[in-house]
């Protein structure tokens, strides 16, 4: 079987799903569970404790902890019990920030938390029509330095490799760099216009005297080993930190795009996107994202943090996580004790209940004395 279609049409009958939603059927549903477990287990092995925040929260709360605007992303609904405005989460990172700033405010730092669950978005992305997604990852609260980023990236890369992703690569970005340069070394009067030109990689729009130096940042996009010496001439301290991060990840390709901002609105000194391939084909989009950020506490203080999120659905859609189950069909006359013994040995058993039952979907059939592989 395969997944049901991601139906975008409407008005064709009561069974059709809303645009951007779909059913996960066998074996894709099992693959999604397996891959989610793979990610969570990888972070658990590094000491990350799992938390499970709710799907819905007060609308005003979801953006507060990271200071990230979420209005366009939110599914909204009034609470039938209280009339308060509720929203379905479009991202779990902000909820982890809330937990860290409230329920676990007094817990020792650094605080290691892992998570996995569905997120819902009011609008689909440009490259991905899905509006219900599975997000899994981890957050480190209290630190955001090179060692923290290296731990998160190393673990995420290990989890993706265990899931079957090949040719893994990391693309680094520096969300704070342009605003810091504009406030100091290369002052500009109109920062939004400068950012728009850099977002569009528009060399021509950077022709004014105050904007021309920023062309150097566009030239830096590429292999990190080649870009970092040049970045060191512009932002020495940042380049030193990024070199240390690159050295901590010796076995993966790393690139740098210092002007990339899309999706990094709440990140601070460094952000990253993860890419790779599966079954010989590169993923069309990123398979994970993360970086350093700040958790905003109720008293106005900010706490350093870093995190990574992996996109499980992208992996499933590429055919990863599809295991061949050891499933044995037991004819109707089989002694129940045999099924119990086989399950204790690690088999999944399908007990025949009537003459209509078949061994479809099973890898083996019980012949009365042994589980025999099907032809």
């Amino acid at each position: 079987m395969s997944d049901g279609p991601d139906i975008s049409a409407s008005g064709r009958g009561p069974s059709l799903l809303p645009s951007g939603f779909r059913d996960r059927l066998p074996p894709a549903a099992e693959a999604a569970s397996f891959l989610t477990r793979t990610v969570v287990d990888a972070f658990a092995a590094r000491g990350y404790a799992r938390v499970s925040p709710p799907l819905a929260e007060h609308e005003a709360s979801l953006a507060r902890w990271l200071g990230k605007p979420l209005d366009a992303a939110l599914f909204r609904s009034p609470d039938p019990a209280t009339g308060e405005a509720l929203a379905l989460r479009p991202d779990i990172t902000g909820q982890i920030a809330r937990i860290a700033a409230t329920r676990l405010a007094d817990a020792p730092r650094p605080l290691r938390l892992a998570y996995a669950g569905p997120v819902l978005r009011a609008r689909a992305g440009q490259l991905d029509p899905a509006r219900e997604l599975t997000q899994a990852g981890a957050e480190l609260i209290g630190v955001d330095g090179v060692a923290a980023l290296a731990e998160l990236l190393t673990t995420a890369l290990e989890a993706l490799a265990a899931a079957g992703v090949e040719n893994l690569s990391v693309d680094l970005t520096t969300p704070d760099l342009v605003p810091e340069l504009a406030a100091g070394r290369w002052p500009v009067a109109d920062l939004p216009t400068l950012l728009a030109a850099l977002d569009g990689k528009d060399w021509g729009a950077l022709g004014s005297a105050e904007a021309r130096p920023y062309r150097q940042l566009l030239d830096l996009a590429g292999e990190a080993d080649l870009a970092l010496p040049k970045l060191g001439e512009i932002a020495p301290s940042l380049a030193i930190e990024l070199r240390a991060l690159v050295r901590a990840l010796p076995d993966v390709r790393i690139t740098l795009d210092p002007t990339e901002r899309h999706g990094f609105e709440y990140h601070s000194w460094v952000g990253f996107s993860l890419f790779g391939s599966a079954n010989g084909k590169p993923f069309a989009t990123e398979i994970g994202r993360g970086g350093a950020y700040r958790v905003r506490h109720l008293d106005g203080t900010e706490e350093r943090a870093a995190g990574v999120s992996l996109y499980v659905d992208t992996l499933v859609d590429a055919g990863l996580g599809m295991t061949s189950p050891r499933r044995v069909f037991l004819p109707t006359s089989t002694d129940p004790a045999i099924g119990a013994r086989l399950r204790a040995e690690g088999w999944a058993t399908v007990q025949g209940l009537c003459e209509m039952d078949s061994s479809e979907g099973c890898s083996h059939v019980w012949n009365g004395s042994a589980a025999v592989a099907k032809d």
Side-chain angles (χ1 to χ4, degrees):
M1 296 184 186
S2 61
D3 279 5
D6 187 354
I7 298 173
S8 58
S10 61
R12 298 183 184 174
S15 64
L16 299 185
L17 295 172
S19 174
F21 293 81
R22 62 180 168 185
D23 295 316
R24 281 283 191 205
L25 304 180
E30 286 91 343
S33 295
F34 169 78
L35 293 170
T36 300
R37 189 75 255 170
T38 298
V39 172
V40 173
D41 285 350
F43 283 102
R46 298 270 188 154
Y48 289 75
R50 185 165 180 178
V51 293
S52 183
L55 185 60
E57 292 205 22
H58 296 295
E59 180 181 338
S61 173
L62 279 171
R64 174 191 303 158
W65 309 101
L66 298 175
K68 178 183 178 182
L70 296 173
D71 289 349
L74 295 180
F75 274 96
R76 297 175 173 85
S77 174
D79 186 340
T82 65
E84 295 179 293
L86 300 182
L88 302 178
R89 64 186 182 202
D91 181 83
I92 299 178
T93 302
Q95 294 183 298
I96 306 302
R98 171 184 58 75
I99 290 171
T102 56
R103 304 287 299 279
L104 297 178
D106 296 328
R109 267 41 177 181
L111 180 62
R112 289 175 168 85
L113 300 175
Y115 62 85
V119 297
L120 293 100
R121 299 171 181 173
R123 294 178 177 83
Q126 293 182 342
L127 299 178
D128 187 353
R131 292 193 292 162
E132 181 185 19
L133 308 167
T134 300
Q135 183 181 353
E139 310 296 326
L140 252 175
I141 311 298
V143 291
D144 73 343
V146 170
L149 271 295
E151 177 175 294
L152 288 164
L153 274 166
T154 298
T155 311
L157 293 170
E158 289 173 353
L160 290 170
V165 179
E166 304 166 337
N167 303 314
L168 284 158
S169 65
V170 179
D171 186 44
L172 301 175
T173 187
T174 54
D176 280 349
L177 177 59
V178 172
E180 289 177 356
L181 290 172
R185 179 172 179 171
W186 297 335
V188 294
D190 188 353
L191 180 59
T193 298
L194 172 67
L195 290 172
L198 292 171
D199 288 345
K201 315 297 184 188
D202 191 342
W203 178 275
L206 300 172
S208 68
E210 66 176 15
R212 199 172 299 122
Y214 290 90
R215 288 177 170 176
Q216 299 176 57
L217 299 183
L218 295 182
D219 292 339
L220 288 179
E223 298 291 334
D225 287 341
L226 299 177
L228 286 176
K230 299 177 183 177
L231 180 64
E233 301 172 4
I234 301 169
S237 296
L238 176 61
I240 289 172
E241 290 184 301
L242 292 180
R243 282 196 194 97
L245 182 57
V246 169
R247 286 196 298 269
L249 305 168
D251 300 322
V252 63
R253 182 188 178 214
I254 302 178
T255 56
L256 174 67
D257 186 348
T259 67
E260 180 60 46
R261 294 190 311 130
H262 180 67
F264 295 98
E265 292 83 1
Y266 67 87
H267 288 88
S268 54
W269 72 274
V270 65
F272 57 82
S273 297
L274 304 177
F275 297 90
S277 63
N279 300 315
K281 297 181 180 179
F283 289 98
T285 60
E286 62 191 7
I287 53 179
R289 171 174 291 192
Y293 61 94
R294 300 288 188 271
V295 175
R296 296 187 175 189
H297 288 254
L298 290 172
D299 61 3
T301 60
E302 294 187 346
E303 184 176 18
R304 296 176 181 272
V308 59
S309 296
L310 302 181
Y311 308 139
V312 173
D313 301 276
T314 305
L315 307 181
V316 177
D317 292 342
L320 298 180
M322 305 290 183
T323 59
S324 299
R326 281 208 327 159
R327 182 178 294 138
V328 57
F329 178 75
L330 306 178
T332 54
S333 59
T334 305
D335 186 340
I338 292 175
R341 175 172 61 81
L342 289 170
R343 288 189 293 274
E345 295 173 358
W347 291 86
T349 64
V350 177
Q351 176 65 57
L353 302 178
C354 63
E355 296 304 320
M356 294 175 58
D357 268 330
S358 73
S359 62
E360 182 179 357
C362 294
S363 59
H364 292 70
V365 174
W366 184 256
N367 68 359
S369 60
V372 179
K374 292 172 60 177
D375 295 332

